[in-house]
Amino acid sequence: KTDNSNPFWVAFKSATDKMNLKLDIRIFPGGTDSRYVRRVGIPAIGFSPMNYTPVLLHDHNEYLDAEIYLKGIDIYTQLISAIANV
Amino acid sequence: MTDYENHPAVNNLRNYIRIRSVHPNINYDECINYLKAQAKELGLPYQVYELVPKNPILVMTWEGLEPSLPSILLNSHMDVVPVFEKSWTYPPFEARLVDGVIYGRGVQDMKSVAIQYIEAIRRLKNKGLRFKRTIHLSFVPDEEKGGKNGMKNFVKSDYFKNLNVGFALDEGLASPDDSYIVYNGERSIWHINVICPGK
Ligand SMILES: [Zn+2]
């Protein structure tokens, strides 16, 4: 759940706010491993820090800009610090 | 421009992409060995669980200051979907770097995320930081085939229960615009067989 009742989500959201990241919250259309984690009662967020990137998973010429990849490391550094200190 | 060719975090990702953990009949040994070496570099203990033969799960652990608190799980899958090599401009397992762009099967889904977790942890550890909660990094097989031999089994095991996970991150999806996509739920998939007997 992405509301104030989940302190991890609150930490996640405030970390992304601090970095001025624009979030687009959705329900995943397919099925990933997070569904099994949620099924045993653990809140899970699906997030890959790739903006300005065409969706090429499972496609030919799957690519990622190195700059976006490196920015993703910065993002995780902040995110992990926030959620591991809840 | 940044010298990506000699950037350690970029190289780490490119080397991980070069491991052909591609369906079908994946041999995960090379992945597991690569990740073991990563854990050693980070100075983190790790465990390898093999609940289903040939489908190992590796978990690295960074213990928190209050290890009795529920932990954080950073999950990623090691497998990638097959390629139709002829349709690729660059060989899909070469991790070619062209004009600051990395090409390769798994670079979006989701080897980048796996190495981003590792590089973020490396940076935090190098700064001498510690956190309240224990952080586990799990690397699982079989996601692209539904996770039957991977996460689906693992979450039901005592090994998983002992990780005492309170919150998890896993893959999302790329976004073509300036926003970042965040998933807080998933649709259930129902396969329906429709049988239409003829007259
Ligand atoms: Zn994936």
Side-chain angles (χ1 to χ4, degrees), chain A residues 28 31-33 48 57-58, chain B residues 76-81 108-111 143-144 170-173:
Chain A
F28 203 80
T32 71
D33 281 336
S48 299
L57 79 161
H58 302 187
Chain B
S76 62
H77 61 81
M78 302 181 282
D79 55 325
V80 299
V81 296
Q108 287 193 15
D109 179 20
M110 62 175 294
K111 287 181 167 175
E143 191 273 346
E144 298 291 4
D170 204 328
E171 68 188 323
L173 214 58

